[in-house]
Amino acid sequence: MALAGLAAGAILAQAPADSSTPAFSDEVSVAWILVPVIVKGERGYLNGLDREDFTLEVDGRKVGFADFEPRGEAPWSIVFLQDLSGSMGVGGRLEASRQAVYHFLDAAKPGDEFSLATFAMNSTEVEVPFTEEILTVQESVALWEAYGKTGLHDAVALLPQISGDSRNVKRAAILITDGVDNASAISAAAAREIVQMAVLPVYVFGLESGDPYANGKSGEEIYRYADVLNLLAQMTGGRYFAVAGPEDLKEACAEVAEDLRYQYVLGFETVATGKPGYHRIAVSVKDRKVKQVLSRKGYQGLAPEVPARTTAR
């Protein structure tokens, strides 16, 4: 589904109005599934873990992984997916969005690459395909203007295509939005199903979109859109950040940057033929100091190869 050679400024097609998800044939070529993993202990990130420290299960069954990327200094590929709808033009939200992007550009190291996509109304535009040219991204960000309604779910569903040309094993998407959707052709659930085909965690900066766990006196959700954004982040192995001001934004940027630098990546092959479906993923670590393991919850596609390869590619 990668849009190879997509030119800057090209417009991606609007999602179909029937809210259907992509159709899959019964025979699909072998796919390589990547599982980004973040491991934390009592004192922060755990670096220096070996392949043997990890256990990967798919649908409750242990699976070997031929690829293992442990290097914290490995370059990253980041997709910025920016909301440019009219509601982002108030309360300093657009300027806050710019500052978030600038934070990651300022922290860039050799080999890091960035792609920039924006959405408003019923279209999503790739303003900058993957590049290491920081100035190109900065110039595009400076020209942002807010307009129209919000097609959030349609834009999220295009992440597998937008991220398809990334070169680095370590990669992520950063979605910056106020969370309101009033123009999408597909539902939030359909968008999540489609984005499962991407092999990248989605980090969400919810600008004034609130706490997804906050309930009113009668038990109803106070921030309905925050709940949707949080679920998207959790399902893909990312994190949701409720951003209420500049300090929240700085903290969110710093935490995501650390996540990516300390990200391990496990990779395994699928079978060559069969009926695709959703497969649950669980990753555990033997180290007793581990307090938290963050990874994607599953993927859409074929089952893992059995027996899985355990030698390096």
Side-chain angles (χ1 to χ4, degrees), residues 33-40 54-58 171 196 198-203 230-239 259 262-268 278-285 290 292-299:
I33 305 299
L34 300 178
V35 184
V37 183
I38 305 297
V39 184
K40 293 184 177 181
F54 291 84
T55 298
L56 172 66
E57 293 184 351
V58 178
R171 44 190 165 177
Q196 286 293 332
V199 291
L200 74 168
V202 180
Y203 290 89
N230 184 50
L231 184 57
L232 169 65
Q234 287 190 351
M235 291 292 290
T236 59
R239 299 164 63 186
D259 271 11
Y262 288 100
Q263 184 187 81
Y264 297 88
V265 181
L266 318 182
F268 63 91
Y278 181 76
H279 300 277
R280 294 176 292 106
I281 290 176
V283 180
S284 57
V285 179
V290 171
Q292 186 180 31
V293 178
L294 298 175
S295 70
R296 59 191 302 193
K297 304 302 181 185
Y299 70 96

Side-chain angles (χ1 to χ4, degrees), residues 49-230:
L49 296 176
D50 296 322
R51 179 195 301 267
E52 293 74 21
D53 294 318
F54 291 84
T55 298
L56 172 66
E57 293 184 351
V58 178
D59 296 330
R61 184 173 183 177
K62 187 175 180 180
V63 173
F65 45 94
D67 262 10
F68 178 68
E69 174 57 73
R71 297 182 298 120
E73 72 276 10
W76 62 32
S77 296
I78 294 180
V79 175
F80 296 108
L81 183 58
Q82 175 66 43
D83 184 351
L84 287 187
S85 61
S87 59
M88 292 291 292
V90 300
R93 295 173 186 172
L94 211 53
E95 182 56 32
S97 300
R98 290 190 179 95
Q99 293 306 315
V101 175
Y102 292 153
H103 176 92
F104 289 95
L105 298 180
D106 290 342
K109 295 183 179 180
D112 291 345
E113 62 175 6
F114 303 91
S115 178
L116 177 64
T118 59
F119 62 94
M121 296 300 288
N122 60 352
S123 68
T124 299
E125 180 179 354
V126 177
E127 296 186 359
V128 183
F130 277 108
T131 180
E132 294 183 34
E133 296 296 327
I134 302 300
L135 182 59
T136 301
V137 183
Q138 291 174 331
E139 290 175 344
S140 184
V141 169
L143 298 176
W144 283 348
E145 292 184 5
Y147 68 97
K149 294 183 177 181
T150 313
L152 173 61
H153 307 324
D154 288 355
V156 167
L158 289 168
L159 277 174
Q161 296 169 278
I162 297 170
S163 64
D165 291 333
S166 57
R167 297 177 302 162
N168 297 320
V169 173
K170 293 191 174 185
R171 44 190 165 177
I174 297 176
L175 168 62
I176 308 176
T177 179
D178 58 10
V180 177
D181 189 304
N182 51 23
S184 283
I186 66 174
S187 66
R192 287 194 298 270
E193 183 177 347
I194 294 171
V195 85
Q196 286 293 332
M197 292 182 294
V199 291
L200 74 168
V202 180
Y203 290 89
V204 182
F205 291 178
L207 303 186
E208 300 180 48
S209 54
D211 181 356
Y213 302 105
N215 294 323
K217 293 182 179 179
S218 59
E220 79 281 2
E221 293 179 356
I222 298 177
Y223 301 104
R224 180 167 58 90
Y225 291 111
D227 184 61
V228 171
L229 295 173
N230 184 50

